[in-house]
Amino acid sequence: MLRALFRRADPPVYALPADTRAYAIGDVHGRRDLLEMLFARIDAERAADPRPCEHLVLLGDLIDRGPDSRGVLDLVLARRAVDPSLTILGGNHEAMLVTLLEGDMWHLESWLHFGGEECAASYGLDPIALLAEPDRAADRLRAAIPPAHQALLRALPGAHRVGDVLFVHAGIRPGVPIDAQDPQDLRWIRLPFLRSTADHGVLVVHGHTVVGAPEIHANRIAIDTGASATGCLTALCLDGAERRFLATGG
C-alpha cells in the first residue's frame, strides 16, 4: 500500500482534442523544393481525411543556408493568402536579418558566415560587396528584399499554442511561465532547454538544433533534420493523441 502511495507519477501525455490536427514543419533554410513537397503531402492528407480544426505551423529559420530563401518567402506568403490555418514563427536567422535591415551591422559577418551568403545571393546581392562596405549593407538589403518579405520578417511571432502543445523555434527557458518567456530564448536557447527533463506544463515542439532523426521526449519533440544539408525536411503530425512524421528523402 505504501509503495502505491509513494510511486512516482508518470509524466502526462499531452494530446490535442479529438477534432484537432496540427502539422509542424522544421527548419526549411532556403529549401523551397522540399517545402513544396511537404505542402503537397499535407494537402493530400487533409483532402482525403479532413478535420474540423486544422493547424499548420512553420517553426522558423525559413531562410539562409539553402539556395532559395527568396523563393521560400514567396511560397509561404502565397500560402498564407489562401490558408488561414498557417502560422509562421520566427527563428534566430530571421531575427539576425531583421537586425541588419534595421541598420545594426554587428551581426553582418556572422549572418553571412552562417548561411546569409546564400540568402543574399537569392536576392541578387553580392555577399563580398556587403561585407566590404558594411556602412552600405543595410541600404542594399532594404533595396533588394521586397517590402512584403521585410514586413513578414518583422512580424513573425515567437510561439504558437494549440491546447497543451507549444510550438516554438528553439525552445523555452525551464522554470519560467509560458506567458513570461523571453522572445530571445524562444529563438536562440539550446542547452538549458535541451538538457531539461522538467514537465513544462505543455509539450514543446521545436526545431533549431539539428537531430539525425526526430526525437520524442516526455516534454518536447525535436524535428530539425538539417534540411539544407541532408535534403530531409521533416513535419510532425499531431492528430488527437497520435504522433507521426512526414519527411522528404534524405
Short mmCIF file of all heavy atoms in Angstrom, two decimals, residues 93-158:
data_model
loop_
_atom_site.label_atom_id
_atom_site.label_comp_id
_atom_site.label_asym_id
_atom_site.label_seq_id
_atom_site.Cartn_x
_atom_site.Cartn_y
_atom_site.Cartn_z
N HIS A 93 17.57 32.99 -37.38
CA HIS A 93 18.08 33.52 -38.64
C HIS A 93 17.23 34.68 -39.14
O HIS A 93 17.78 35.67 -39.66
CB HIS A 93 18.16 32.40 -39.68
CG HIS A 93 19.34 31.50 -39.48
ND1 HIS A 93 20.49 31.58 -40.25
CD2 HIS A 93 19.56 30.52 -38.57
CE1 HIS A 93 21.36 30.67 -39.83
NE2 HIS A 93 20.82 30.01 -38.81
N GLU A 94 15.92 34.59 -38.99
CA GLU A 94 15.09 35.75 -39.33
C GLU A 94 15.40 36.93 -38.42
O GLU A 94 15.45 38.08 -38.87
CB GLU A 94 13.60 35.39 -39.22
CG GLU A 94 13.07 34.51 -40.33
CD GLU A 94 13.33 33.04 -40.12
OE1 GLU A 94 13.57 32.64 -38.96
OE2 GLU A 94 13.31 32.28 -41.10
N ALA A 95 15.64 36.65 -37.14
CA ALA A 95 15.96 37.73 -36.19
C ALA A 95 17.24 38.45 -36.59
O ALA A 95 17.33 39.68 -36.50
CB ALA A 95 16.07 37.18 -34.78
N MET A 96 18.26 37.69 -37.03
CA MET A 96 19.50 38.32 -37.45
C MET A 96 19.30 39.22 -38.66
O MET A 96 19.82 40.34 -38.72
CB MET A 96 20.57 37.26 -37.76
CG MET A 96 21.21 36.66 -36.53
SD MET A 96 22.70 35.68 -36.92
CE MET A 96 21.97 34.25 -37.71
N LEU A 97 18.52 38.75 -39.63
CA LEU A 97 18.29 39.55 -40.83
C LEU A 97 17.50 40.81 -40.50
O LEU A 97 17.80 41.88 -41.03
CB LEU A 97 17.58 38.73 -41.90
CG LEU A 97 17.30 39.45 -43.23
CD1 LEU A 97 18.55 40.11 -43.80
CD2 LEU A 97 16.70 38.48 -44.24
N VAL A 98 16.52 40.72 -39.63
CA VAL A 98 15.76 41.91 -39.23
C VAL A 98 16.68 42.93 -38.57
O VAL A 98 16.58 44.14 -38.82
CB VAL A 98 14.61 41.51 -38.29
CG1 VAL A 98 14.00 42.76 -37.63
CG2 VAL A 98 13.53 40.76 -39.05
N THR A 99 17.61 42.47 -37.74
CA THR A 99 18.57 43.37 -37.11
C THR A 99 19.38 44.12 -38.17
O THR A 99 19.62 45.34 -38.05
CB THR A 99 19.52 42.58 -36.20
OG1 THR A 99 18.77 41.98 -35.15
CG2 THR A 99 20.58 43.49 -35.58
N LEU A 100 19.80 43.43 -39.23
CA LEU A 100 20.55 44.07 -40.30
C LEU A 100 19.68 45.06 -41.07
O LEU A 100 20.14 46.15 -41.41
CB LEU A 100 21.10 43.01 -41.25
CG LEU A 100 22.07 41.99 -40.64
CD1 LEU A 100 22.46 40.94 -41.67
CD2 LEU A 100 23.32 42.68 -40.10
N LEU A 101 18.45 44.70 -41.33
CA LEU A 101 17.55 45.61 -42.03
C LEU A 101 17.32 46.89 -41.23
O LEU A 101 17.06 47.95 -41.81
CB LEU A 101 16.21 44.92 -42.29
CG LEU A 101 16.22 43.80 -43.34
CD1 LEU A 101 14.92 43.02 -43.32
CD2 LEU A 101 16.47 44.38 -44.74
N GLU A 102 17.43 46.80 -39.92
CA GLU A 102 17.25 47.97 -39.07
C GLU A 102 18.52 48.79 -38.94
O GLU A 102 18.53 49.82 -38.25
CB GLU A 102 16.75 47.54 -37.70
CG GLU A 102 15.32 46.98 -37.75
CD GLU A 102 14.85 46.43 -36.42
OE1 GLU A 102 15.70 46.28 -35.50
OE2 GLU A 102 13.64 46.17 -36.28
N GLY A 103 19.59 48.35 -39.59
CA GLY A 103 20.82 49.15 -39.63
C GLY A 103 21.90 48.76 -38.66
O GLY A 103 22.95 49.40 -38.63
N ASP A 104 21.68 47.74 -37.86
CA ASP A 104 22.70 47.28 -36.91
C ASP A 104 23.55 46.23 -37.60
O ASP A 104 23.11 45.09 -37.81
CB ASP A 104 22.03 46.71 -35.67
CG ASP A 104 23.03 46.32 -34.59
OD1 ASP A 104 24.25 46.29 -34.88
OD2 ASP A 104 22.60 46.02 -33.46
N MET A 105 24.78 46.57 -37.92
CA MET A 105 25.66 45.68 -38.69
C MET A 105 26.50 44.75 -37.82
O MET A 105 27.37 44.05 -38.33
CB MET A 105 26.59 46.52 -39.58
CG MET A 105 25.87 47.26 -40.70
SD MET A 105 25.11 46.12 -41.89
CE MET A 105 23.37 46.29 -41.46
N TRP A 106 26.23 44.74 -36.53
CA TRP A 106 27.04 43.92 -35.63
C TRP A 106 27.00 42.45 -36.02
O TRP A 106 27.99 41.72 -35.86
CB TRP A 106 26.54 44.10 -34.19
CG TRP A 106 27.43 43.49 -33.16
CD1 TRP A 106 28.56 44.02 -32.63
CD2 TRP A 106 27.27 42.21 -32.55
NE1 TRP A 106 29.12 43.16 -31.71
CE2 TRP A 106 28.35 42.04 -31.65
CE3 TRP A 106 26.33 41.19 -32.67
CZ2 TRP A 106 28.50 40.90 -30.87
CZ3 TRP A 106 26.49 40.04 -31.89
CH2 TRP A 106 27.56 39.91 -31.00
N HIS A 107 25.85 41.98 -36.56
CA HIS A 107 25.70 40.56 -36.91
C HIS A 107 26.06 40.27 -38.37
O HIS A 107 25.91 39.12 -38.80
CB HIS A 107 24.25 40.12 -36.69
CG HIS A 107 23.88 39.89 -35.25
ND1 HIS A 107 24.50 38.96 -34.45
CD2 HIS A 107 22.94 40.49 -34.47
CE1 HIS A 107 23.96 38.98 -33.24
NE2 HIS A 107 23.02 39.90 -33.23
N LEU A 108 26.51 41.27 -39.13
CA LEU A 108 26.66 41.06 -40.57
C LEU A 108 27.60 39.90 -40.90
O LEU A 108 27.24 39.00 -41.68
CB LEU A 108 27.16 42.34 -41.24
CG LEU A 108 27.41 42.25 -42.75
CD1 LEU A 108 26.13 41.87 -43.48
CD2 LEU A 108 27.98 43.56 -43.28
N GLU A 109 28.79 39.90 -40.35
CA GLU A 109 29.75 38.84 -40.68
C GLU A 109 29.24 37.48 -40.23
O GLU A 109 29.36 36.48 -40.96
CB GLU A 109 31.11 39.15 -40.04
CG GLU A 109 32.20 38.18 -40.47
CD GLU A 109 33.59 38.60 -40.01
OE1 GLU A 109 33.72 39.70 -39.42
OE2 GLU A 109 34.53 37.82 -40.24
N SER A 110 28.66 37.42 -39.02
CA SER A 110 28.13 36.14 -38.53
C SER A 110 26.99 35.65 -39.40
O SER A 110 26.90 34.46 -39.73
CB SER A 110 27.65 36.30 -37.08
OG SER A 110 28.72 36.56 -36.22
N TRP A 111 26.10 36.58 -39.78
CA TRP A 111 24.98 36.19 -40.62
C TRP A 111 25.45 35.63 -41.95
O TRP A 111 25.00 34.56 -42.39
CB TRP A 111 24.06 37.39 -40.85
CG TRP A 111 22.91 37.10 -41.78
CD1 TRP A 111 21.86 36.25 -41.54
CD2 TRP A 111 22.72 37.64 -43.09
NE1 TRP A 111 21.01 36.23 -42.63
CE2 TRP A 111 21.51 37.07 -43.59
CE3 TRP A 111 23.42 38.55 -43.88
CZ2 TRP A 111 21.01 37.39 -44.86
CZ3 TRP A 111 22.91 38.87 -45.14
CH2 TRP A 111 21.73 38.29 -45.61
N LEU A 112 26.39 36.30 -42.59
CA LEU A 112 26.91 35.82 -43.87
C LEU A 112 27.59 34.46 -43.71
O LEU A 112 27.40 33.56 -44.53
CB LEU A 112 27.90 36.84 -44.45
CG LEU A 112 27.29 38.15 -44.94
CD1 LEU A 112 28.39 39.15 -45.29
CD2 LEU A 112 26.39 37.92 -46.16
N HIS A 113 28.34 34.29 -42.63
CA HIS A 113 29.09 33.05 -42.42
C HIS A 113 28.15 31.86 -42.16
O HIS A 113 28.41 30.74 -42.61
CB HIS A 113 30.04 33.21 -41.24
CG HIS A 113 30.83 31.97 -40.92
ND1 HIS A 113 31.84 31.49 -41.73
CD2 HIS A 113 30.73 31.09 -39.88
CE1 HIS A 113 32.34 30.38 -41.20
NE2 HIS A 113 31.68 30.11 -40.08
N PHE A 114 27.05 32.11 -41.45
CA PHE A 114 26.15 31.01 -41.07
C PHE A 114 24.94 30.90 -41.98
O PHE A 114 23.87 30.48 -41.54
CB PHE A 114 25.71 31.20 -39.61
CG PHE A 114 26.80 30.94 -38.62
CD1 PHE A 114 27.40 31.98 -37.92
CD2 PHE A 114 27.26 29.65 -38.39
CE1 PHE A 114 28.41 31.75 -37.02
CE2 PHE A 114 28.27 29.40 -37.47
CZ PHE A 114 28.87 30.45 -36.79
N GLY A 115 25.12 31.22 -43.24
CA GLY A 115 24.06 30.98 -44.21
C GLY A 115 23.52 32.20 -44.91
O GLY A 115 22.76 32.09 -45.87
N GLY A 116 23.89 33.38 -44.43
CA GLY A 116 23.40 34.60 -45.06
C GLY A 116 23.94 34.82 -46.46
O GLY A 116 23.30 35.52 -47.27
N GLU A 117 25.10 34.25 -46.77
CA GLU A 117 25.63 34.40 -48.13
C GLU A 117 24.64 33.87 -49.16
O GLU A 117 24.37 34.52 -50.17
CB GLU A 117 26.96 33.64 -48.26
CG GLU A 117 28.13 34.29 -47.54
CD GLU A 117 29.44 33.60 -47.90
OE1 GLU A 117 29.46 32.79 -48.86
OE2 GLU A 117 30.44 33.88 -47.23
N GLU A 118 24.10 32.70 -48.90
CA GLU A 118 23.14 32.11 -49.83
C GLU A 118 21.85 32.92 -49.88
O GLU A 118 21.24 33.07 -50.95
CB GLU A 118 22.84 30.66 -49.41
CG GLU A 118 24.02 29.71 -49.57
CD GLU A 118 24.98 29.71 -48.39
OE1 GLU A 118 24.81 30.55 -47.46
OE2 GLU A 118 25.89 28.87 -48.38
N CYS A 119 21.43 33.42 -48.74
CA CYS A 119 20.23 34.25 -48.71
C CYS A 119 20.43 35.52 -49.52
O CYS A 119 19.58 35.89 -50.35
CB CYS A 119 19.87 34.61 -47.26
SG CYS A 119 18.39 35.62 -47.09
N ALA A 120 21.54 36.22 -49.31
CA ALA A 120 21.83 37.44 -50.06
C ALA A 120 21.86 37.16 -51.55
O ALA A 120 21.30 37.93 -52.36
CB ALA A 120 23.15 38.04 -49.59
N ALA A 121 22.50 36.07 -51.94
CA ALA A 121 22.60 35.73 -53.36
C ALA A 121 21.23 35.47 -53.96
O ALA A 121 20.99 35.80 -55.13
CB ALA A 121 23.50 34.51 -53.54
N SER A 122 20.30 34.92 -53.18
CA SER A 122 18.96 34.65 -53.71
C SER A 122 18.21 35.94 -54.03
O SER A 122 17.25 35.94 -54.81
CB SER A 122 18.15 33.80 -52.72
OG SER A 122 17.67 34.55 -51.63
N TYR A 123 18.65 37.04 -53.45
CA TYR A 123 18.07 38.36 -53.75
C TYR A 123 18.93 39.16 -54.72
O TYR A 123 18.73 40.35 -54.92
CB TYR A 123 17.88 39.16 -52.46
CG TYR A 123 16.74 38.66 -51.60
CD1 TYR A 123 16.98 37.87 -50.48
CD2 TYR A 123 15.42 38.97 -51.91
CE1 TYR A 123 15.94 37.41 -49.69
CE2 TYR A 123 14.38 38.52 -51.13
CZ TYR A 123 14.64 37.74 -50.02
OH TYR A 123 13.59 37.28 -49.24
N GLY A 124 19.91 38.50 -55.35
CA GLY A 124 20.75 39.15 -56.33
C GLY A 124 21.86 40.01 -55.76
O GLY A 124 22.44 40.85 -56.48
N LEU A 125 22.19 39.82 -54.50
CA LEU A 125 23.24 40.61 -53.85
C LEU A 125 24.56 39.85 -53.82
O LEU A 125 24.58 38.62 -53.74
CB LEU A 125 22.82 40.97 -52.42
CG LEU A 125 21.64 41.93 -52.28
CD1 LEU A 125 21.16 41.96 -50.83
CD2 LEU A 125 22.03 43.33 -52.75
N ASP A 126 25.64 40.60 -53.84
CA ASP A 126 26.98 40.03 -53.74
C ASP A 126 27.41 40.05 -52.28
O ASP A 126 27.63 41.12 -51.70
CB ASP A 126 27.96 40.86 -54.59
CG ASP A 126 29.39 40.32 -54.53
OD1 ASP A 126 29.64 39.36 -53.79
OD2 ASP A 126 30.25 40.90 -55.22
N PRO A 127 27.54 38.89 -51.63
CA PRO A 127 27.92 38.87 -50.21
C PRO A 127 29.26 39.55 -49.93
O PRO A 127 29.43 40.19 -48.89
CB PRO A 127 27.99 37.37 -49.89
CG PRO A 127 27.14 36.73 -50.92
CD PRO A 127 27.29 37.55 -52.16
N ILE A 128 30.20 39.42 -50.86
CA ILE A 128 31.51 40.04 -50.65
C ILE A 128 31.39 41.56 -50.63
O ILE A 128 32.02 42.25 -49.82
CB ILE A 128 32.49 39.59 -51.75
CG1 ILE A 128 32.73 38.07 -51.64
CG2 ILE A 128 33.81 40.34 -51.65
CD1 ILE A 128 33.62 37.51 -52.73
N ALA A 129 30.54 42.10 -51.50
CA ALA A 129 30.34 43.55 -51.53
C ALA A 129 29.67 44.03 -50.25
O ALA A 129 29.98 45.12 -49.74
CB ALA A 129 29.50 43.93 -52.74
N LEU A 130 28.74 43.23 -49.71
CA LEU A 130 28.10 43.61 -48.45
C LEU A 130 29.12 43.72 -47.33
O LEU A 130 29.10 44.67 -46.54
CB LEU A 130 27.03 42.59 -48.08
CG LEU A 130 25.75 42.54 -48.91
CD1 LEU A 130 24.86 41.39 -48.43
CD2 LEU A 130 24.98 43.85 -48.82
N LEU A 131 30.00 42.74 -47.27
CA LEU A 131 31.00 42.72 -46.20
C LEU A 131 32.06 43.79 -46.40
O LEU A 131 32.58 44.36 -45.44
CB LEU A 131 31.64 41.34 -46.13
CG LEU A 131 32.45 41.00 -44.88
CD1 LEU A 131 31.61 41.16 -43.63
CD2 LEU A 131 33.00 39.59 -44.97
N ALA A 132 32.38 44.09 -47.66
CA ALA A 132 33.41 45.08 -47.95
C ALA A 132 32.97 46.49 -47.59
O ALA A 132 33.80 47.34 -47.24
CB ALA A 132 33.80 45.02 -49.43
N GLU A 133 31.66 46.76 -47.70
CA GLU A 133 31.14 48.10 -47.39
C GLU A 133 29.96 47.96 -46.43
O GLU A 133 28.80 48.16 -46.80
CB GLU A 133 30.69 48.81 -48.67
CG GLU A 133 31.81 49.07 -49.66
CD GLU A 133 31.32 49.81 -50.89
OE1 GLU A 133 30.62 49.20 -51.71
OE2 GLU A 133 31.64 51.02 -51.00
N PRO A 134 30.25 47.63 -45.17
CA PRO A 134 29.16 47.40 -44.21
C PRO A 134 28.28 48.61 -43.97
O PRO A 134 27.11 48.46 -43.60
CB PRO A 134 29.90 46.96 -42.93
CG PRO A 134 31.30 47.48 -43.10
CD PRO A 134 31.57 47.42 -44.56
N ASP A 135 28.83 49.82 -44.18
CA ASP A 135 28.04 51.02 -43.96
C ASP A 135 26.93 51.16 -45.01
O ASP A 135 25.96 51.90 -44.81
CB ASP A 135 28.92 52.26 -43.97
CG ASP A 135 29.75 52.39 -45.24
OD1 ASP A 135 30.18 51.36 -45.77
OD2 ASP A 135 29.96 53.52 -45.70
N ARG A 136 27.05 50.44 -46.13
CA ARG A 136 26.03 50.48 -47.17
C ARG A 136 25.18 49.20 -47.21
O ARG A 136 24.24 49.10 -48.00
CB ARG A 136 26.69 50.67 -48.54
CG ARG A 136 27.46 51.97 -48.70
CD ARG A 136 28.01 52.10 -50.11
NE ARG A 136 26.94 52.06 -51.11
CZ ARG A 136 27.15 51.89 -52.42
NH1 ARG A 136 28.40 51.74 -52.87
NH2 ARG A 136 26.14 51.86 -53.26
N ALA A 137 25.51 48.25 -46.36
CA ALA A 137 24.86 46.94 -46.42
C ALA A 137 23.37 47.02 -46.12
O ALA A 137 22.55 46.38 -46.80
CB ALA A 137 25.54 45.98 -45.45
N ALA A 138 22.99 47.80 -45.11
CA ALA A 138 21.56 47.88 -44.75
C ALA A 138 20.75 48.44 -45.90
O ALA A 138 19.67 47.93 -46.23
CB ALA A 138 21.38 48.72 -43.50
N ASP A 139 21.27 49.50 -46.54
CA ASP A 139 20.55 50.09 -47.67
C ASP A 139 20.43 49.09 -48.82
O ASP A 139 19.38 49.01 -49.48
CB ASP A 139 21.27 51.35 -48.16
CG ASP A 139 21.14 52.51 -47.19
OD1 ASP A 139 20.18 52.51 -46.38
OD2 ASP A 139 22.00 53.42 -47.23
N ARG A 140 21.48 48.34 -49.07
CA ARG A 140 21.43 47.35 -50.16
C ARG A 140 20.44 46.23 -49.85
O ARG A 140 19.72 45.78 -50.73
CB ARG A 140 22.83 46.78 -50.39
CG ARG A 140 23.79 47.77 -51.07
CD ARG A 140 25.19 47.22 -51.19
NE ARG A 140 26.03 48.05 -52.04
CZ ARG A 140 27.34 47.90 -52.18
NH1 ARG A 140 27.96 46.93 -51.52
NH2 ARG A 140 28.02 48.70 -52.98
N LEU A 141 20.41 45.78 -48.61
CA LEU A 141 19.46 44.74 -48.23
C LEU A 141 18.02 45.25 -48.36
O LEU A 141 17.15 44.55 -48.91
CB LEU A 141 19.73 44.29 -46.79
CG LEU A 141 20.97 43.42 -46.57
CD1 LEU A 141 21.28 43.30 -45.09
CD2 LEU A 141 20.76 42.02 -47.16
N ARG A 142 17.78 46.46 -47.87
CA ARG A 142 16.42 47.01 -47.94
C ARG A 142 15.97 47.23 -49.39
O ARG A 142 14.79 47.09 -49.72
CB ARG A 142 16.33 48.31 -47.15
CG ARG A 142 16.34 48.12 -45.63
CD ARG A 142 15.98 49.40 -44.91
NE ARG A 142 17.03 50.40 -45.03
CZ ARG A 142 17.95 50.64 -44.11
NH1 ARG A 142 17.96 49.93 -42.98
NH2 ARG A 142 18.85 51.59 -44.28
N ALA A 143 16.92 47.57 -50.26
CA ALA A 143 16.57 47.80 -51.66
C ALA A 143 16.30 46.49 -52.40
O ALA A 143 15.47 46.45 -53.31
CB ALA A 143 17.69 48.57 -52.36
N ALA A 144 16.98 45.42 -52.00
CA ALA A 144 16.87 44.15 -52.72
C ALA A 144 15.73 43.27 -52.23
O ALA A 144 15.13 42.52 -53.01
CB ALA A 144 18.19 43.38 -52.61
N ILE A 145 15.43 43.33 -50.94
CA ILE A 145 14.40 42.47 -50.36
C ILE A 145 13.04 43.14 -50.50
O ILE A 145 12.85 44.25 -50.02
CB ILE A 145 14.72 42.16 -48.89
CG1 ILE A 145 16.07 41.43 -48.78
CG2 ILE A 145 13.62 41.32 -48.26
CD1 ILE A 145 16.54 41.18 -47.36
N PRO A 146 12.08 42.49 -51.15
CA PRO A 146 10.77 43.11 -51.37
C PRO A 146 10.12 43.55 -50.06
O PRO A 146 10.29 42.90 -49.02
CB PRO A 146 9.96 42.00 -52.04
CG PRO A 146 10.97 41.11 -52.66
CD PRO A 146 12.16 41.14 -51.74
N PRO A 147 9.37 44.65 -50.10
CA PRO A 147 8.70 45.14 -48.89
C PRO A 147 7.82 44.08 -48.22
O PRO A 147 7.76 44.02 -46.99
CB PRO A 147 7.86 46.32 -49.40
CG PRO A 147 8.60 46.81 -50.60
CD PRO A 147 9.20 45.58 -51.24
N ALA A 148 7.15 43.24 -49.00
CA ALA A 148 6.31 42.20 -48.41
C ALA A 148 7.13 41.20 -47.61
O ALA A 148 6.69 40.70 -46.57
CB ALA A 148 5.52 41.47 -49.50
N HIS A 149 8.33 40.90 -48.08
CA HIS A 149 9.21 39.99 -47.35
C HIS A 149 9.69 40.65 -46.06
O HIS A 149 9.74 40.01 -45.00
CB HIS A 149 10.41 39.61 -48.21
CG HIS A 149 10.09 38.71 -49.35
ND1 HIS A 149 11.04 37.94 -49.99
CD2 HIS A 149 8.93 38.45 -49.99
CE1 HIS A 149 10.47 37.25 -50.97
NE2 HIS A 149 9.18 37.56 -50.99
N GLN A 150 10.07 41.91 -46.14
CA GLN A 150 10.52 42.62 -44.94
C GLN A 150 9.41 42.69 -43.90
O GLN A 150 9.65 42.50 -42.70
CB GLN A 150 11.00 44.02 -45.31
CG GLN A 150 12.22 44.04 -46.22
CD GLN A 150 12.75 45.45 -46.46
OE1 GLN A 150 12.88 46.24 -45.52
NE2 GLN A 150 13.08 45.76 -47.71
N ALA A 151 8.19 42.98 -44.35
CA ALA A 151 7.07 43.06 -43.41
C ALA A 151 6.82 41.72 -42.74
O ALA A 151 6.55 41.65 -41.53
CB ALA A 151 5.82 43.54 -44.14
N LEU A 152 6.91 40.65 -43.52
CA LEU A 152 6.74 39.31 -42.95
C LEU A 152 7.80 39.04 -41.89
O LEU A 152 7.49 38.59 -40.77
CB LEU A 152 6.82 38.26 -44.06
CG LEU A 152 6.82 36.80 -43.60
CD1 LEU A 152 5.48 36.42 -43.01
CD2 LEU A 152 7.19 35.86 -44.74
N LEU A 153 9.06 39.28 -42.22
CA LEU A 153 10.16 39.00 -41.30
C LEU A 153 10.01 39.76 -39.98
O LEU A 153 10.31 39.23 -38.91
CB LEU A 153 11.49 39.36 -41.95
CG LEU A 153 11.92 38.50 -43.14
CD1 LEU A 153 13.09 39.15 -43.87
CD2 LEU A 153 12.28 37.09 -42.70
N ARG A 154 9.54 41.00 -40.06
CA ARG A 154 9.41 41.83 -38.86
C ARG A 154 8.25 41.41 -37.97
O ARG A 154 8.23 41.71 -36.78
CB ARG A 154 9.25 43.29 -39.25
CG ARG A 154 10.46 43.91 -39.95
CD ARG A 154 10.17 45.34 -40.38
NE ARG A 154 11.21 45.90 -41.22
CZ ARG A 154 12.33 46.45 -40.77
NH1 ARG A 154 12.53 46.53 -39.46
NH2 ARG A 154 13.23 46.94 -41.61
N ALA A 155 7.26 40.73 -38.55
CA ALA A 155 6.02 40.45 -37.81
C ALA A 155 5.92 39.02 -37.29
O ALA A 155 4.90 38.66 -36.71
CB ALA A 155 4.82 40.75 -38.71
N LEU A 156 6.94 38.21 -37.47
CA LEU A 156 6.85 36.80 -37.10
C LEU A 156 6.78 36.62 -35.58
O LEU A 156 7.63 37.12 -34.85
CB LEU A 156 8.06 36.03 -37.64
CG LEU A 156 8.18 35.96 -39.17
CD1 LEU A 156 9.47 35.24 -39.56
CD2 LEU A 156 6.96 35.29 -39.79
N PRO A 157 5.78 35.90 -35.09
CA PRO A 157 5.69 35.64 -33.64
C PRO A 157 6.71 34.61 -33.20
O PRO A 157 7.29 33.88 -34.01
CB PRO A 157 4.26 35.11 -33.48
CG PRO A 157 3.96 34.45 -34.79
CD PRO A 157 4.67 35.28 -35.84
N GLY A 158 6.91 34.53 -31.89
CA GLY A 158 7.89 33.59 -31.35
C GLY A 158 7.33 32.25 -30.96
O GLY A 158 8.08 31.29 -30.80
#
